[in-house]
Amino acid sequence: MKNITLETICKKITDLQHDIDQIKKILLEEPELREDFILRIRDIDLERSIIVDDFKERYGLK
């Protein structure tokens, strides 16, 4: 992860935004999936996330 480039981060963010848009679209088109989605999203292990304390400073986002 130390060698990750800003271009790679931007691509991952863009891909994630696309995925989120697709999920929102599906949930709006099929409301019965909404409850199941909410239950499943609660099961995500937040501890697996990587926290970068100095992210803003590291990437000049002040």
Side-chain angles (χ1 to χ4, degrees), residues 20-51:
I20 290 170
D21 287 341
Q22 292 299 314
I23 290 169
K24 285 180 180 178
K25 181 179 176 188
I26 291 169
L27 292 177
L28 289 174
E29 291 173 355
E30 300 182 42
E32 64 276 1
L33 295 178
R34 184 183 203 104
E35 187 174 327
D36 184 53
F37 174 76
I38 290 170
L39 291 173
R40 289 176 187 264
I41 204 77
R42 287 182 183 158
D43 291 336
I44 293 177
D45 184 8
L46 296 178
E47 293 299 318
R48 299 175 97 194
S49 301
I50 298 171
I51 305 298

